[in-house]
Amino acid sequence: MSAVAEDDLLVIDDLHVQFDTRAGVIHGLRGLSLTVARGETLGIVGESGSGKSVMAQSVMGLIDTPGEIVRGDIRFKGRSLLGPKGRSYGRKIRGRELAMIFQNPMTSLNPLMTIGAQIEEVIVHHLGKSAREARQRALELLDLVGITSPVSRLSQLPHELSGGMKQRIIIAMAIACEPELLIADEPTTALDVTVQAQILELINDIQKAMNLSIILITHDLGVVAQSCHRVMVMYAGKEMEEAPVGQLFSRPAHYYTAGLLRSTPRLRDSSDRLFSIDGAPPSLIDPPTGCPFFDRCEARTEECRMDPPAVTTGNQAKAMCWHV
Amino acid sequence: MGSYIVRRLWQGILVVLAVTTIVFVVTRLVGNPVDIMLPLSATTEQRAAFAHQIGLDRPILEQFGTFVWDAIHLDFGDSLWQRRAAMEVVLERLPNTLLLLVSGIGTAIVLSLPLGTIAALRPGGIVDRLIVGLGLLGLSLPQFWVGLMLIITFSVVFGLLPTSGIGTPAHIILPSIAMALPSLARLSMLVRSAMLDELNKQYIQTARAKGMPLHRIVTVHGFRNILAGFLTMSGWEVIYALAGFSVVVETVFAWPGLGQTALQAIQRSDLFLLQAIVFCVAILIVLINLALDIIYKLVDPRIDLN
Ligand SMILES: Nc1ncnc2c1ncn2[C@@H]1O[C@H](COP(=O)(O)OP(=O)(O)OP(=O)(O)O)[C@@H](O)[C@H]1O
Ligand SMILES: [Mg+2]
């Protein structure tokens, strides 16, 4: 915890999250660590079920029974968000310094509260503003996220807006108190392709204008290339590799990363058949020890049955693999 | 909205007309009202005179016309039992039933919100299981038995409250409790499951991520969304009670309301009084339904009334 740690806005340290379900204990996260620096956009990629959303929910304090954070720590600006003290710290900063936008804008807004009321409640609660000031701020925010005729929007209900508009509203709510870290969990997946680009652009613009840190969870490697400084690849509740964007795309170190990159369709070599990694991720109930990618890896050897080391592959880059 | 209310009012009038017609048909055509109302010992002359007096010797269509005309003027003839206008009897008893409804069902409505919500906050927890258990009990115990137990406990053993009748504020306590229990159980279970559903929705996650405190999430976000369904079910509790479920409580506690009067009218073969009661209840139910629709629309503007 020296000067280096001071720079990191968010630190996740050896986080273990479990869900005690009827089918058994699901190990959603199995010792995940990451850091997000100020002003940085960190991309998180990985197949479905790799624990990306669980990570985001852990930071936002949204893990409920049957889920439980069983080990590890989450620190925001050097202070833990776990334990009784951490919870009260979290209540203060969530929605204010730490904000999140969700995947599906269709269901993310209260269907019976006006757009205005939903934006204003954040401002009133966290900044203690009067109703009038909050309304003024809400208008500014709508303008900022590119919503036309904001005055009439404030009194509308969510069902009167399109998906893209709703996502803009949700972004407006998230940045209402000028947060320092924004977690975006697949913010564009549920939207039309054309709208996706607009929303991404909006997020990028806001990031630059407010010098936000962003954790951008996505399945779309194109989005990562466009918006992120650094990427982390997750698999089966663990980190596989992290690297600056350029390095990850040009020189993936982990076989899983390489597989992910190859399974992304490219426009140019249309002769290729679409590649996909054979097999499926391991069950997270009783997950195997050693490298979780073992079953599907072309380069596996006997030592891969043991937990792989974190091999440094460059500046701010590492891969959890025996064969780099 | 305005045109909708007008249309629903028309529909309501049609419903009342239909009910009136059915009452007419049932009382005139199924069995002979004269035989029903007069004692077995009545002579043929007495029967003929009575039939003439209530217009039974007229053509059926004319009878119907007169019946509808009188119904519009709230004239249902004289109660044979009370020997005064049937509607007068109804209007005298109706406030008692309404009083019982407001205090009984009203209590259920007011209490079910916090009970159901508290249960939903920790599903499977001790409080939840206690509330669900009591709810099942409230649903399965027969109302008359609950009423009798209340009388035995509070009136007979402890002597705290009057056993039955009407008069002082103390008289209304036990019948209200008996009236409230099943409704309270049904409504609490409804609030619980609706709130559970709501709290699992994505927009609640958004509200939590926004840092909204739990009490606000429940009482503003969740509550707003279960309100329409809750009000509808509350309205139905009132309708059940009006349509007959208050008979049991009114009888057990000798509460001179409409339900008890209906029972007495049946026992005394007082057809005219019964007609007046049915007509009055039908109008009330139509009005409550109309009010519910309007409230529903106000609470959930997404609903397209057309
Ligand atoms: N509330 C929950 N109850 C039980 N298991 C859960 C719960 N939430 C997540 N999990 C489990 O945790 C694991 C990780 O899920 P998570 O939602 O984080 O995946 P993801 O990487 O976000 O996937 P996707 O790309 O599909 O969103 C999955 O196996 C999932 O089944
Ligand atoms: Mg996810």
Side-chain angles (χ1 to χ4, degrees), chain A residues 64 108 110 118 121 126 159, chain B residues 206 208 210 216 221 225:
Chain A
D64 295 318
S108 292
N110 187 328
Q118 297 192 55
E121 69 173 354
H126 287 295
H159 76 276
Chain B
T206 310
R208 288 172 65 191
K210 274 154 70 177
R216 188 176 167 86
H221 286 268
N225 282 275

Side-chain angles (χ1 to χ4, degrees), chain A residues 133-154:
Chain A
E133 291 167 320
R135 194 158 198 85
Q136 197 51 45
R137 174 78 179 132
L139 284 173
E140 283 169 31
L141 285 163
L142 288 190
D143 198 42
L144 191 69
V145 298
I147 286 196
T148 51
S149 49
V151 179
S152 61
R153 297 291 177 207
L154 283 183

Side-chain angles (χ1 to χ4, degrees), chain B residues 95-139:
Chain B
N96 292 340
T97 291
L98 293 183
L99 184 65
L100 189 57
L101 283 188
V102 169
S103 70
I105 310 290
T107 306
I109 291 174
V110 170
L111 288 184
S112 63
L113 271 178
L115 283 179
T117 304
I118 290 169
L121 286 183
R122 277 186 180 277
I126 293 177
V127 179
D128 180 38
R129 275 185 284 175
L130 196 72
I131 291 174
V132 171
L134 287 176
L136 287 177
L137 204 65
L139 281 180

Side-chain angles (χ1 to χ4, degrees), chain A residues 85-265:
Chain A
K85 266 190 177 170
R87 271 197 290 279
S88 85
Y89 175 50
R91 271 197 293 277
K92 271 207 305 258
I93 60 160
R94 288 192 186 103
R96 181 176 187 166
E97 298 171 28
L98 181 57
M100 176 159 179
I101 54 187
F102 295 89
Q103 173 171 351
N104 193 346
M106 293 307 176
T107 55
S108 292
L109 290 168
N110 187 328
L112 291 181
M113 264 170 94
T114 61
I115 302 302
Q118 297 192 55
I119 301 177
E120 287 155 24
E121 69 173 354
V122 194
I123 301 161
V124 170
H125 177 72
H126 287 295
L127 306 180
K129 296 263 201 254
S130 72
R132 253 192 75 235
E133 291 167 320
R135 194 158 198 85
Q136 197 51 45
R137 174 78 179 132
L139 284 173
E140 283 169 31
L141 285 163
L142 288 190
D143 198 42
L144 191 69
V145 298
I147 286 196
T148 51
S149 49
V151 179
S152 61
R153 297 291 177 207
L154 283 183
S155 52
Q156 284 186 318
L157 287 174
H159 76 276
E160 298 173 72
L161 307 180
S162 69
M165 291 255 250
K166 279 186 207 151
Q167 197 62 303
R168 284 174 196 269
I169 302 288
I170 291 164
I171 292 172
M173 288 184 336
I175 62 171
C177 304
E178 307 199 336
E180 293 168 62
L181 176 63
L182 177 68
I183 301 180
D185 190 353
E186 308 197 34
T188 59
T189 315
L191 302 172
D192 287 346
V193 185
T194 46
V195 183
Q196 285 188 5
Q198 294 167 8
I199 295 292
L200 268 183
E201 199 178 323
L202 175 64
I203 293 178
N204 286 341
D205 289 348
I206 288 170
Q207 197 266 332
K208 285 194 199 89
M210 298 176 111
N211 193 31
L212 269 175
S213 300
I214 294 182
I215 296 180
L216 182 60
I217 298 173
T218 177
H219 283 265
D220 188 337
L221 291 167
V223 168
V224 171
Q226 219 177 74
S227 307
C228 300
H229 303 119
R230 215 152 51 86
V231 202
M232 183 169 117
V233 181
M234 283 181 65
Y235 186 72
K238 290 189 171 209
E239 172 180 2
M240 293 285 106
E241 174 170 9
E242 67 179 77
V245 163
Q247 178 183 338
L248 190 101
F249 280 92
S250 58
R251 289 177 285 120
H254 201 290
Y255 285 88
Y256 178 58
T257 312
L260 271 187
L261 291 177
R262 277 173 66 199
S263 50
T264 307

Side-chain angles (χ1 to χ4, degrees), chain A residues 10-79:
Chain A
L10 180 77
V11 176
I12 296 182
D13 187 12
D14 190 31
L15 194 65
H16 290 253
V17 178
Q18 297 178 354
F19 297 91
D20 198 350
T21 67
R22 220 166 276 171
V25 176
I26 299 174
H27 298 256
L29 287 182
R30 303 187 290 146
L32 186 83
S33 300
L34 65 76
T35 60
V36 182
R38 286 179 192 278
E40 175 183 51
T41 301
L42 173 68
I44 310 256
V45 296
E47 270 165 282
S48 208
S50 52
K52 305 182 296 290
S53 296
V54 171
M55 183 276 294
Q57 287 159 6
S58 306
V59 176
M60 295 311 296
L62 298 177
I63 298 286
D64 295 318
T65 37
E68 196 191 349
I69 296 178
V70 291
R71 185 136 62 91
D73 198 8
I74 304 172
R75 286 188 297 278
F76 184 74
K77 298 209 280 190
R79 287 175 65 182

